[in-house]
Amino acid sequence: MQISPLARSSRFSYLFAAMLDDAQRSLEEILSPPFRNVLWKSVGLTLGLLLVLWLVLEGLIVHFLALPYPWLETGLTIVSGIGLIVGLAFLVAPATSLFAGIFLDEIAEVVETNHYPSEPAGRALPLMEGILTTLKFTLVVVGVNLVALPLVLFVGFGVVVFFVANGYLLGREYFDLAARRFHDRRTAKVLRLRHSGRIFLAGLVIAGFTAVPLVNLLAPLFATAFMVHVHKRIQKSERAPGGILAPA
């Protein structure tokens, strides 16, 4: 049966309003008392990783940079330093994704307990599966951002590539991590494919959050809480008659 334009518009308005509501609740949660312990650990690990990368890359540049004129060497050092700052800024998304795998279950459990106390609790992924999934995704995100970085710096549409790529990858990763607490891998994939548009939009929200300097250090908390809410709405809709989770 074909859906009328009015019905599609009404459905989009509902989904947009629901997503804004989920985003607002997630923003309020990341500074609540249960989240503060995770917040400091997440920020500390992200800053620590970026600092180590900065020191290693800066040391390599200083070690291999040998020019006959001190003023030229100083100028190139400054330029390379600025380039490192820009490059590390683009690595915030992969770093936050890496640490999301570490803190996902702790964060998701708090959100589920606070907002969905009457529903069954989720289960944590097996340790090795969670680590391998997170590392695999982090490597993919690093590759995408390495391609997007020169496009952002030298091509006008690079910003669009950055947001679209990260929106897709971040939406996919965070949804899978949230969904796997309740479903097997196959069911989580089917849910993601059936609601790919909504998950992509949620990923764009997360990508926008990671693009704001300093604020993006909170991205693991926000993204995990946000996608828990998104998954819960999708799960509820699929439990209705005709959904893949509907009772037999």
Side-chain angles (χ1 to χ4, degrees):
M1 181 177 65
Q2 188 174 7
I3 301 176
S4 68
L6 181 61
R8 285 197 298 267
S9 176
S10 176
R11 175 174 171 77
F12 178 80
S13 299
Y14 167 77
L15 293 178
F16 184 73
M19 193 164 294
L20 287 180
D21 180 61
D22 292 339
Q24 181 179 350
R25 287 193 292 174
S26 301
L27 285 172
E28 294 171 353
E29 283 170 327
I30 62 177
L31 295 178
S32 65
F35 275 58
R36 287 174 188 164
N37 185 39
V38 178
L39 170 63
W40 292 119
K41 288 188 292 186
S42 175
V43 170
L45 286 171
T46 300
L47 289 176
L49 176 62
L50 295 180
L51 178 61
V52 169
L53 288 174
W54 166 274
L55 293 176
V56 170
L57 294 175
E58 184 71 14
L60 289 174
I61 291 173
V62 171
H63 178 74
F64 289 105
L65 189 64
L67 297 173
Y69 304 106
W71 63 268
L72 182 57
E73 183 173 335
T74 300
L76 287 178
T77 301
I78 293 173
V79 171
S80 65
I82 295 173
L84 283 176
I85 293 174
V86 175
L88 291 177
F90 279 83
L91 290 178
V92 169
T96 56
S97 300
L98 174 64
F99 297 128
I102 299 174
F103 299 122
L104 169 72
D105 292 304
E106 189 174 347
I107 298 168
E109 184 177 353
V110 171
V111 178
E112 292 164 6
T113 301
N114 289 344
H115 294 276
Y116 311 96
S118 62
E119 299 186 18
R123 64 186 185 280
L125 285 176
L127 179 61
M128 285 306 301
E129 182 180 354
I131 292 175
L132 291 176
T133 298
T134 301
L135 289 176
K136 176 183 176 182
F137 169 74
T138 301
L139 291 175
V140 172
V141 175
V142 169
V144 170
N145 280 273
L146 287 177
V147 173
L149 177 57
L151 294 176
V152 171
L153 295 177
F154 304 111
V155 184
F157 62 86
V159 174
V160 176
V161 174
F162 172 80
F163 276 102
V164 170
N166 277 291
Y168 171 76
L169 290 170
L170 293 173
R172 172 176 174 150
E173 168 69 3
Y174 282 104
F175 179 80
D176 279 351
L177 291 175
R180 286 299 309 283
R181 285 178 56 82
F182 296 90
H183 312 290
D184 57 35
R185 187 183 300 276
R186 179 182 177 279
T187 303
K189 181 179 180 180
V190 172
L191 289 173
R192 175 168 52 81
L193 294 175
R194 283 171 62 89
H195 299 270
S196 57
R198 182 191 299 193
I199 293 169
F200 174 66
L201 290 176
L204 288 178
V205 173
I206 298 172
F209 198 92
T210 63
V212 180
L214 298 181
V215 175
N216 53 17
L217 295 174
L218 306 176
L221 304 181
F222 170 78
T224 303
F226 179 49
M227 201 56 80
V228 167
H229 291 305
V230 172
H231 166 258
K232 284 291 186 178
R233 290 185 186 273
I234 290 175
Q235 182 176 254
K236 182 179 179 180
S237 70
E238 291 292 350
R239 285 175 175 167
I244 65 170
L245 303 178

